[in-house]
Amino acid sequence: MDLALQLLFTGIGIGAVYALVALGFVLIFRATNVVNFAQGEFSMVAAYLMVVFAVDLGWPYWLSFLVSLAGMALLGAFSISEFTIRFVTARFCRLSSPPSAPRS
């Protein structure tokens, strides 16, 4: 009976994570009409950080969770920072703009 309850709650927890990831995909797709798989990458990096801190380094789970959450916040802030957006838009606008006519 204990194993059945453990499996039930584990399944509910994993299903909730899958549901949140799916809702994120739907939200991004509805807002931009682009399928963006970067959200899955962020989830994977967060889980990897949590495992490294908790298992490999032996930190307590609550500290590992807080540090991995802060790390993902920093990574997210860096990846969508004004510098990154300006760099990408300036590069692609320069590449896609029509050549200007020579001045006489």
Side-chain angles (χ1 to χ4, degrees), residues 77-90:
F78 176 72
S79 67
I80 61 170
S81 69
E82 191 68 27
F83 172 75
T84 305
I85 292 172
R86 282 189 186 170
F87 175 75
V88 170
T89 54

Side-chain angles (χ1 to χ4, degrees), residues 22-104:
L23 284 172
F25 284 139
V26 169
L27 180 69
I28 292 170
F29 181 74
R30 291 270 182 147
T32 62
N33 284 334
V34 174
V35 178
N36 188 359
F37 293 111
Q39 180 202 9
E41 302 272 336
F42 278 105
S43 300
M44 179 197 62
V45 171
Y48 184 73
L49 283 175
M50 179 72 182
V51 167
V52 166
F53 293 140
V55 176
D56 293 342
L57 298 178
W59 292 4
Y61 285 115
W62 64 271
L63 182 62
S64 301
F65 176 75
L66 292 177
V67 171
S68 62
L69 186 67
M72 288 313 301
L74 287 174
L75 182 64
F78 176 72
S79 67
I80 61 170
S81 69
E82 191 68 27
F83 172 75
T84 305
I85 292 172
R86 282 189 186 170
F87 175 75
V88 170
T89 54
R91 178 174 169 81
F92 287 115
C93 289
R94 185 178 63 235
L95 290 176
S96 63
S97 62
S100 59
R103 295 184 182 184
S104 51

Side-chain angles (χ1 to χ4, degrees), residues 1-18:
M1 185 65 185
D2 290 338
L3 181 63
L5 283 175
Q6 183 179 359
L7 290 174
L8 176 71
F9 287 117
T10 302
I12 289 172
I14 291 173
V17 170
Y18 286 154

